[in-house]
Amino acid sequence: EEPTVELLELFDKVSEEAAKEKLAVPPINKMLYYWTRKPLIVGRAVALASTLDNIEDVKNLLHLGRDKRAYTYTPDVNIYKKKLSRDPSEIKVLDPFGGGGNLIFESKRLELNCTSADYNPLAYLIQKAVLEHPAKYGEKLAEDFEKYANQVIEMTKKDIGQFYNKNDLVYFWNWCIKCPHCEQRIPLTNQMWITNTSKKKIGVRFHVTKDKNFTTELVENMTADEGKQYTQKGGKAICISCKNTIDDKILTNDIAIRKDREMIARMINQNKKRQYLSVNKNSIEKIESVKEKLISKWSELEKENLIPLESIRATDSTDHRIWRYGMQNWNNFFSERQLYAHITFLKNIKLVSKNISDENYRKAILLYLGFLLCKHIDSNCFGTHWHYKKENSEGALSLRTPHIIFNFPEIYPFKKVRGSLKNNLKNIYDSINFSSKLNSSVNIFNDSVTKNSEMKYDLIITDPPYGDDVIYGEGSDFYYIWLSRCLNEEFTELPKMIPVEEDYCSPKGRFRSKLLADEFFEKGLKKSFVSLNKKLKDDGLLVVFFAHSSINAWNTLLIAIRDAKFQIKSSYSIHTESTQNVLARGKTSFMSSIIVVCRKLKEEKTAYFEDIIPQTEDNVKEMIDKIPPEKLLTIPITDLLIMVYGKVLETCTQFTELKSYEKDFTPDFETLIS
């Protein structure tokens, strides 16, 4: 609560470790993609700094500056107990916006009495997978998951293996349109590379044919200039024959109506080396055969409710970007072979899991098998993109919400390649093993933050939604439409669809209005903080993460904190996002978060805006003066901005009401900042 120089320096070191951890990717993060996962070291630092008085004790338990990343070292709980002078289980900790479980994970490693909740059933299931089942069943759980997963994989391979060439690893596809000027068929791609590494530089070259079609040539040692060429960019296409430009409306309408795709190359594994080959007749025949199979089985599969026919709900705009391409339902977001493979795997999961006699254990294994399917779907759909510099695929949700990728890879499910079932199996196996080191389970609930609770907590650590930064409800549909089919017979408590009535973000797509969406977020955040006040003990501590670049979002946070009668005692800037993340461009949240530390405000106090300006300026100056000049020059401007924002919040949350000497003027966060 007291931002001493030593504490500021410590959080600076934690920030450095957090940046490295983001690149290292802890096993817990590999269970299933979920947005805004905070680094584990940050959760540990906050838990320790919130429960211990001596900063040196905090440092010793963080395990910073060692050979491996700090999260790989389990803190010595016996030492922690001695420094704490009480049993950790007596300290009740809550994260009501639990998400993927990262923030509460380190509190549980310290053996605090932890509860995590989330309104979103997808988040609830991820928390069950990392915070409950591994602690309950131990390392045996990972081994059994691997056994059953391999059974499902082998069954699926037997069912659909004939639709793939056995040596193939990846198939490369392009969406195609017809030129409105000359009727030439055009493959859409934003560059010509298939791979561009220090050892291999292979690209594609398209040749126009007399019948207005094209052929594809694989070119070794392609030059950088040719590799940078494209047939579409910025939503517009260029004809490979007449060279005319085709606008976005014509391009999207063509894809929506004709749904034309072409396989242009494939990657194989030969002599333990990756090689790139042209498409052969056999590859095309297998595509046609799986189409026929899917058509013949469609009615049967639909009756068994194995086809995801749900509508794609809008996320961040009044019209979802996928809709424009004629994809209104989730089954449209996959090729016939991808869809049939996913459905077959889903069907086999249900068959294999029935052989597990223990009901609770069956539910646990079934959950991980469902995650295995979801991870593969993320890597095998129209939103998957190919990283030609790394020679691997990137999941659709690496772009946060699914986009149509014009030159997309299709993964062969049964070989060891990024995104395949085998590789995803290992990720989940490692995640279970890592989480099994917890000595006991976290209490997990699928509840809204506003739900009344008789339980009072000593410490609340949470990371609430940041306005329009992530639209959790509709965004979770991508996984949940498959998970609900996988789990519906066992997890009867789960809703059929992700509920959104209390999904407190700023969803423009949901309301078809930015104004209404912002109002929904503001009211929801206020309700949330009022509820947090009721859940916190009178002498309890509230620690909140926030990272948004919008002044409006910060103003909403200020109002929510003040209306809920909280006072910010201190604030810190800490690195929580990877600068290597593909989301770095155009993202509404900062690369760093502010941590605001709050206590309940015990008395009603009023202040005038004009009177607190000097106090705010003094607080900012005091903060800056504590930072050594040589260090100050190295702090990113966005981090300094967050630190200033924090000081403004600290000053004005001392009061339950802010007035102004000017008539009809209500001061807000933007006014205070300016």
Side-chain angles (χ1 to χ4, degrees):
E1 290 176 79
E2 302 195 12
T4 61
V5 175
E6 291 79 14
L7 195 54
L8 288 171
E9 289 176 347
L10 177 62
F11 272 110
D12 184 52
K13 291 178 180 177
V14 171
S15 286
E16 291 178 10
E17 177 64 23
K20 294 173 183 176
E21 182 186 314
K22 274 288 182 176
L23 297 177
V25 189
I28 187 177
N29 291 13
K30 296 179 181 180
M31 179 63 73
L32 191 69
Y33 174 87
Y34 199 76
W35 305 266
T36 63
R37 283 184 179 271
K38 292 294 180 278
L40 294 177
I41 186 59
V42 174
R44 186 186 299 185
V46 168
L48 289 170
S50 300
T51 55
L52 295 177
D53 294 326
N54 190 305
I55 193 168
E56 291 302 318
D57 295 337
V58 174
K59 288 179 182 179
N60 292 335
L61 289 163
L62 283 175
H63 298 294
L64 297 175
R66 297 198 177 188
D67 294 338
K68 298 179 182 178
R69 298 278 63 83
Y71 73 81
T72 64
Y73 299 97
T74 302
D76 191 320
V77 178
N78 290 326
I79 293 177
Y80 177 62
K81 288 179 179 179
K82 290 178 182 178
K83 301 298 182 182
L84 193 62
S85 300
R86 61 189 294 197
D87 192 325
S89 64
E90 296 175 4
I91 300 176
K92 295 181 175 65
V93 185
L94 169 69
D95 183 356
F97 295 102
N102 283 44
L103 270 183
I104 205 78
F105 187 86
E106 290 292 339
S107 292
K108 191 62 204 176
R109 279 177 118 178
L110 295 169
E111 298 186 10
L112 299 170
N113 186 341
C114 296
T115 299
S116 185
D118 205 292
Y119 178 69
N120 188 315
L122 176 63
Y124 164 73
L125 290 171
I126 295 173
Q127 290 177 45
K128 297 273 283 185
V130 297
L131 300 174
E132 179 182 317
H133 296 321
K136 183 177 180 180
Y137 296 112
E139 294 181 1
K140 178 181 180 293
L141 180 62
E143 296 170 2
D144 284 345
F145 158 70
E146 182 179 40
K147 178 183 73 175
Y148 289 114
N150 280 323
Q151 286 182 23
V152 180
I153 291 171
E154 289 307 311
M155 285 177 65
T156 308
K157 185 177 180 180
K158 185 177 179 180
D159 290 340
I160 65 171
Q162 70 269 27
F163 300 124
Y164 302 86
N165 294 322
K166 65 178 182 179
N167 289 327
D168 291 346
L169 295 176
V170 182
Y171 304 94
F172 299 93
W173 291 80
N174 287 72
W175 284 93
C176 302
I177 63 170
K178 185 182 288 187
C179 177
H181 306 286
C182 70
E183 297 192 339
Q184 172 65 46
R185 188 168 178 247
I186 308 165
L188 301 176
T189 181
N190 61 352
Q191 42 77 28
M192 298 297 172
W193 294 113
I194 287 183
T195 177
N196 181 10
T197 67
S198 59
K199 295 181 179 180
K200 288 181 285 188
K201 298 184 184 299
I202 302 173
V204 295
R205 191 180 289 158
F206 300 116
H207 299 284
V208 173
T209 59
K210 291 181 180 180
D211 60 353
K212 301 293 184 180
N213 208 336
F214 65 89
T215 59
T216 304
E217 176 190 2
L218 290 181
V219 181
E220 294 191 14
N221 299 318
M222 178 173 271
T223 64
D225 288 340
E226 192 170 4
K228 292 177 183 177
Q229 292 180 17
Y230 56 89
T231 62
Q232 71 78 27
K233 189 164 283 189
K236 296 181 179 180
I238 298 174
C239 180
I240 59 175
S241 180
C242 69
K243 306 302 180 184
N244 275 307
T245 300
I246 300 136
D247 67 26
D248 178 69
K249 185 176 180 180
I250 294 173
L251 184 154
T252 52
N253 285 343
D254 187 296
I255 290 176
I257 294 169
R258 297 195 316 112
K259 298 178 173 57
D260 184 13
R261 304 184 299 273
E262 177 89 3
M263 188 194 301
I264 62 165
R266 56 200 175 97
M267 183 173 78
I268 70 167
N269 184 12
Q270 194 164 30
N271 299 324
K272 297 183 179 180
K273 291 184 179 180
R274 293 182 172 185
Q275 297 184 23
Y276 296 88
L277 300 178
S278 298
V279 176
N280 55 20
K281 183 180 178 182
N282 187 41
S283 299
I284 303 301
E285 288 175 348
K286 289 182 182 296
I287 293 296
E288 294 304 316
S289 63
V290 78
K291 287 181 181 179
E292 294 174 5
K293 187 73 170 179
L294 182 60
I295 291 170
S296 68
K297 289 272 191 179
W298 189 271
S299 296
E300 176 188 334
L301 296 170
E302 190 172 351
K303 285 180 183 178
E304 294 180 49
N305 190 30
L306 294 172
I307 305 173
L309 297 171
E310 290 88 347
S311 298
I312 298 174
R313 296 192 284 184
T315 52
D316 56 353
S317 60
T318 53
D319 292 316
H320 198 291
R321 55 175 58 90
I322 298 175
W323 294 354
R324 301 185 302 147
Y325 300 95
M327 300 177 191
Q328 299 288 327
N329 306 91
W330 281 111
N331 63 292
N332 302 139
F333 198 57
F334 308 93
S335 70
E336 292 85 355
R337 184 161 64 181
Q338 288 173 334
L339 182 61
Y340 192 59
H342 300 334
I343 289 171
T344 305
F345 195 79
L346 169 61
K347 189 173 184 177
N348 288 334
I349 285 175
K350 295 168 85 72
L351 288 173
V352 167
S353 63
K354 290 183 184 299
N355 297 324
I356 305 172
S357 57
D358 183 284
E359 180 183 352
N360 291 326
Y361 201 58
R362 180 170 64 249
K363 290 176 71 172
I365 295 294
L366 187 61
L367 178 57
Y368 295 118
L369 293 175
F371 283 174
L372 178 58
L373 170 63
C374 288
K375 286 175 74 68
H376 184 57
I377 285 169
D378 186 32
S379 301
N380 223 3
C381 62
F382 289 154
T384 308
H385 51 284
W386 182 251
H387 200 309
Y388 62 86
K389 291 185 178 180
K390 295 182 179 179
E391 286 191 285
N392 61 38
S393 63
E394 298 285 351
L397 291 188
S398 63
L399 298 172
R400 274 206 167 171
T401 56
H403 296 58
I404 292 297
I405 303 299
F406 295 132
N407 48 332
F408 66 93
E410 178 190 8
I411 306 300
Y412 178 51
F414 310 113
K415 290 286 181 67
K416 287 189 176 181
V417 62
R418 184 169 183 178
S420 71
L421 292 167
K422 290 284 187 180
N423 277 37
N424 288 329
L425 187 160
K426 184 179 186 307
N427 287 335
I428 295 175
Y429 179 94
D430 291 344
S431 184
I432 296 171
N433 259 343
F434 180 77
S435 298
S436 67
K437 295 177 176 61
L438 293 177
N439 72 319
S440 61
S441 301
V442 173
N443 305 307
I444 299 168
F445 298 98
N446 183 201
D447 287 333
S448 167
V449 63
T450 60
K451 182 178 179 179
N452 293 330
S453 170
E454 295 181 1
M455 180 73 74
K456 296 284 187 178
Y457 295 91
D458 302 277
L459 175 62
I460 298 177
I461 305 174
T462 196
D463 182 24
Y466 307 153
D468 61 352
D469 186 47
V470 178
I471 311 303
Y472 291 95
E474 292 85 347
S476 298
D477 285 350
F478 179 74
Y479 287 142
Y480 197 73
I481 54 162
W482 294 96
L483 270 179
S484 61
R485 284 176 166 77
C486 184
L487 307 177
N488 57 2
E489 294 177 15
E490 302 288 344
F491 290 76
T492 54
E493 75 273 19
L494 294 177
K496 291 183 178 179
M497 292 291 291
I498 300 282
V500 296
E501 290 78 11
E502 295 185 64
D503 177 45
Y504 294 135
C505 51
S506 182
K508 296 187 288 290
R510 192 182 307 167
F511 292 98
R512 304 296 177 108
S513 163
K514 184 180 186 305
L515 178 62
L516 291 176
D518 288 347
E519 287 180 1
F520 174 75
F521 170 59
E522 291 170 14
K523 290 178 181 178
L525 202 64
K526 286 181 183 179
K527 288 180 182 178
S528 299
F529 275 86
V530 168
S531 178
L532 293 182
N533 189 294
K534 294 177 181 177
K535 290 178 171 65
L536 191 67
K537 290 181 179 179
D538 287 344
D539 61 348
L541 199 66
L542 170 66
V543 182
V544 179
F545 287 74
F546 201 76
H548 203 290
S549 57
S550 164
I551 292 292
N552 287 335
W554 284 86
N555 192 55
T556 301
L557 176 67
L558 167 62
I559 294 170
I561 289 174
R562 197 174 65 222
D563 285 3
K565 294 182 170 53
F566 280 115
Q567 177 184 357
I568 296 178
K569 304 295 292 184
S570 62
S571 57
Y572 305 91
S573 172
I574 195 161
H575 194 102
T576 58
E577 303 295 332
S578 170
T579 55
Q580 303 296 317
N581 198 309
V582 294
L583 309 171
R585 293 193 305 272
K587 183 178 174 182
T588 54
S589 60
F590 287 131
M591 289 298 100
S592 292
S593 296
I594 187 173
I595 299 176
V596 291
V597 183
C598 308
R599 291 280 190 187
K600 286 186 175 183
L601 198 57
K602 301 287 180 64
E603 57 181 321
E604 300 282 336
K605 290 195 293 185
T606 300
Y608 283 86
F609 162 71
E610 291 83 0
D611 294 337
I612 68 168
I613 291 297
Q615 182 183 348
T616 307
E617 291 173 344
D618 289 343
N619 288 347
V620 172
K621 186 176 184 301
E622 181 183 358
M623 174 192 71
I624 297 297
D625 288 344
K626 287 180 178 179
I627 304 172
E630 64 276 8
K631 182 63 181 176
L632 187 63
L633 295 173
T634 66
I635 299 176
I637 187 66
T638 52
D639 284 9
L640 283 172
L641 191 61
I642 286 178
M643 293 164 74
V644 171
Y645 286 1
K647 289 302 167 185
V648 172
L649 292 175
E650 282 180 44
T651 305
C652 56
T653 57
Q654 297 175 52
F655 312 99
T656 51
E657 184 181 18
L658 280 181
K659 294 183 177 181
S660 173
Y661 293 120
E662 293 185 27
K663 190 177 180 182
D664 300 325
F665 172 68
T666 302
D668 58 15
F669 184 80
E670 185 173 2
T671 310
L672 289 162
I673 285 292
S674 59

